[in-house]
Amino acid sequence: MRSASIFEDRRCGVLLHVTSLPSANLGNDAYRFVDFLHEAGVTLWQMLPLGPTHSDGSPYQCLSAHAGNIDFLSVQKIREQSWADPEELSAGKIPSIIALACRQFHLNATATQKQAFDSFCQAQSYWLEDYILYREIRHLNHSTAWFDWPDPLRDRDPAALAQLREQRADSLRIRRFGQFLFYCQWQALKNYANERGVSLFGDMPIFVAHDSADVWAEPALFTLTASGDAEAVAGVPPDYFSETGQRWGNPLYRWQQHIDTGFDWWRRRLKTQLGWFDLIRIDHFRGFEACWEIPAECETAIEGQWVKSPGESLFKSLVTEFGELPLVAEDLGIITDDVNRLREKFAMPGMKILQFAFGGDASNPYLPHNHTPDSVTYTGTHDNDTTLGWYQTLDDGARSHLHTYAGHTNESMPWLLVRMALQSVSRLTVLPMQDVLALDGNHRMNTPGTIEGNWSWRFNWKQVSPEAAATLRHLIDLYGRNPILKSLT
């Protein structure tokens, strides 16, 4: 299901990252969550990027734009495979389980199963071989960043890489197999969700991490020195979240190099994401019109400047390659008319955040009466507090505005804002799972501009009351967001 069909009807989605499932993996909890969504009339499951993370756990600073995070693998699902020996796979950490499973697979798998593995490796070779080399070298160098490796490996000397491929062939095969397992488990979950009318809604950061397989493999595409150090890094100027802006630290793109190669890097990147998701949010969409470029030596984002990006040429190239683009633009922050024109030219819905709506005047674009059908309304995102937590810290002026706007209803939070989101004319409304469960700010996912205490929240099934699905479904049906119900009338 692509964006045109998704946005033909009013729908509701729920935002929950894989790490926030009780087991934090692609096992039974993920399938149970799909069942909950189906029962509630929810037809999209939105999540954060799926790549392997650095030690801080941020899914927006991944080690690869293409690889899946093997920490999401369900050991139980591996043990259920016909080629597996469940007894041998009963204990151990994920890397050791993958190593054992790889050996069992090559001993016990059928010819058809082995052919599936070979086909996967061939189809994904445009990123897979660079990625497994990068992870193996990084492991051998005690997890140091690629730009601190010995020069021959840092600079991808052909002889050095050939020697490593020969000497570490077994380890590389295991890493390759780990990605195959992720692919199999992900596709099985996606098929299960799609069969139950639930589309998967992913998230693609505009930038990639400096220390990543992508930058190591093709450094000429990024703002780096010859030794791999960053010349300029990405971020955003001072805004709602931070008085000093946000210095993300990602290298920026050398856009002329991308233009000269026909945006091949971007075509490959989107190809991977389209294999995973039915709909994709592009994080920091405004960066495709202009990026906030910060000199690498600056400690904050204040000293940055806007530098133009070739967004229109890029998206024209992607349309030529893929046809309709199933993309949603994260258009929050400082948005200019040029950014809006770019989004509208390629028919990408934007985002409306209700937590940004109150405390000003009637022109606030996040107030429901200013919403448009070609948008996605959220109570809040993964970067916001939970709606209950937000309400509890709201100043008197914003709180008064909210209650006056809502008609002085006695409905409790977060349900007042949930109802308002579902009432919106936006074709799609997405509710964080924390709001579905009416959880307070102790259950926040991320606080932008901070490092500690993020990305670790999980729900548990005891928090999901027996009537939770029915309560949500009643509101979804009431506001015409159940396309299945529509098809029956």
Side-chain angles (χ1 to χ4, degrees):
M1 182 186 295
R2 294 304 186 202
S3 59
S5 55
I6 288 175
F7 283 92
E8 283 175 359
D9 298 304
R10 287 169 60 79
R11 294 175 181 273
C12 178
V14 168
L15 171 60
L16 182 85
H17 194 36
V18 175
T19 57
S20 294
L21 291 163
S23 59
N25 64 43
L26 303 178
N28 293 337
D29 282 325
Y31 289 79
R32 184 176 175 183
F33 184 66
V34 170
D35 291 340
F36 169 80
L37 298 179
H38 176 66
E39 184 181 356
V42 173
T43 52
L44 279 99
W45 176 3
Q46 183 175 355
M47 60 198 71
L48 309 185
L50 297 177
T53 67
H54 287 77
S55 58
D56 65 357
S58 171
Y60 293 93
Q61 294 285 347
C62 289
L63 296 164
S64 169
H66 298 274
N69 190 339
I70 59 171
D71 290 337
F72 295 167
L73 288 173
S74 163
V75 174
Q76 181 58 39
K77 295 294 181 185
I78 298 174
R79 296 176 74 237
E80 291 171 0
Q81 297 300 308
S82 61
W83 44 262
D85 179 350
E87 295 294 329
E88 192 175 9
L89 296 173
S90 60
K93 296 183 178 180
I94 284 293
S96 62
I97 291 289
I98 292 173
L100 287 170
C102 182
R103 180 173 64 83
Q104 292 180 12
F105 179 86
H106 286 92
L107 286 173
N108 304 327
T110 66
T112 300
Q113 291 168 333
K114 290 179 180 178
Q115 180 58 48
F117 173 65
D118 291 341
S119 296
F120 165 81
C121 294
Q122 182 176 0
Q124 307 300 320
S125 61
Y126 64 94
W127 65 268
L128 181 59
E129 295 310 302
D130 280 326
Y131 174 69
I132 63 173
L133 271 175
Y134 163 83
R135 291 304 303 265
E136 187 65 15
I137 299 170
R138 197 172 188 272
H139 168 71
L140 294 173
N141 284 274
H142 311 290
S143 297
T144 56
W146 67 266
F147 38 87
D148 292 325
W149 295 348
D151 290 0
L153 297 175
R154 181 197 69 189
D155 299 335
R156 296 177 59 86
D157 176 74
L161 295 186
Q163 182 181 36
L164 187 135
R165 288 188 187 97
E166 180 179 356
Q167 293 176 345
R168 307 294 295 182
D170 288 343
S171 294
L172 293 172
R173 182 169 58 251
I174 292 168
R175 293 187 184 279
R176 210 176 278 120
F177 186 71
Q179 289 302 305
F180 174 65
L181 289 176
F182 179 90
Y183 169 83
C184 292
Q185 290 197 8
W186 181 260
Q187 291 302 319
L189 177 62
K190 185 176 187 298
N191 291 340
Y192 185 86
N194 289 168
E195 288 168 0
R196 283 152 185 79
V198 176
S199 298
L200 299 187
F201 186 4
D203 198 334
M204 187 173 78
I206 181 175
F207 300 114
V208 294
H210 187 183
D211 182 19
S212 66
D214 315 282
V215 181
W216 173 67
E218 300 178 86
L221 298 176
F222 302 89
T223 53
L224 305 176
T225 67
S227 60
D229 296 323
E231 292 178 347
V233 297
V236 291
D239 60 8
Y240 172 89
F241 291 111
S242 173
E243 293 181 355
T244 58
Q246 297 177 48
R247 185 190 184 281
W248 296 332
N250 310 72
L252 292 158
Y253 297 108
R254 294 198 190 277
W255 281 116
Q256 190 59 50
Q257 295 286 338
H258 291 266
I259 292 169
D260 292 345
T261 56
F263 298 104
D264 177 66
W265 186 88
W266 284 95
R267 292 172 187 245
R268 285 179 275 136
R269 189 179 184 195
L270 189 57
K271 177 182 177 181
T272 297
Q273 299 300 310
L274 292 175
W276 285 354
F277 299 112
D278 303 295
L279 186 66
I280 302 164
R281 186 191 85 133
I282 299 183
D283 190 46
H284 194 57
F285 175 80
R286 75 102 52 242
F288 290 105
E289 193 278 325
C291 295
W292 189 250
E293 181 178 286
I294 307 164
E297 64 272 14
C298 296
E299 294 184 359
T300 73
I302 294 176
E303 297 88 349
Q305 62 178 338
W306 291 111
V307 177
K308 285 289 185 179
S309 306
E312 183 171 349
S313 297
L314 167 61
F315 290 119
K316 283 182 177 177
S317 174
L318 295 177
V319 168
T320 299
E321 178 80 8
F322 300 106
E324 178 198 349
L325 299 177
L327 304 176
V328 168
E330 185 270 284
D331 56 348
L332 309 176
I334 302 173
I335 302 301
T336 65
D337 290 341
D338 286 340
V339 176
N340 286 328
R341 280 191 289 269
L342 180 64
R343 179 183 64 78
E344 291 166 1
K345 183 178 180 66
F346 293 95
M348 298 182 199
M351 291 174 56
K352 305 296 182 185
I353 312 300
L354 292 183
Q355 289 187 24
F356 295 162
F358 302 99
D361 60 27
S363 66
N364 186 314
Y366 300 111
L367 284 167
H369 68 261
N370 291 321
H371 293 184
T372 56
D374 64 332
S375 62
V376 183
T377 290
Y378 294 77
T379 49
T381 74
H382 65 278
D383 282 333
N384 294 97
D385 201 345
T386 69
T387 292
L388 182 55
W390 164 80
Y391 180 75
Q392 290 170 341
T393 59
L394 211 56
D395 64 61
D396 291 341
R399 185 173 294 193
S400 175
H401 184 197
L402 167 62
H403 286 290
T404 301
Y405 191 90
H408 297 288
T409 174
N410 292 323
E411 188 164 27
S412 63
M413 295 295 284
W415 293 107
L416 186 154
L417 216 65
V418 167
R419 183 185 294 273
M420 195 177 291
L422 292 169
Q423 288 172 329
S424 167
V425 297
S426 297
R427 288 295 180 125
L428 175 59
T429 287
V430 176
L431 309 171
M433 187 62 174
Q434 293 96 319
D435 289 354
V436 174
L437 300 177
L439 299 176
D440 64 21
N442 292 317
H443 302 270
R444 182 171 184 162
M445 186 64 165
N446 179 50
T447 303
T450 67
I451 298 175
E452 301 296 329
N454 296 320
W455 316 114
S456 59
W457 175 74
R458 296 187 192 183
F459 83 92
N460 64 71
W461 288 111
K462 292 181 180 178
Q463 294 170 312
V464 184
S465 66
E467 64 274 9
T471 299
L472 184 55
R473 182 162 193 143
H474 168 71
L475 292 173
I476 288 171
D477 292 350
L478 181 64
Y479 297 114
R481 293 193 177 275
N482 191 336
I484 297 174
L485 187 66
K486 176 184 172 182
S487 68
L488 297 176
T489 59

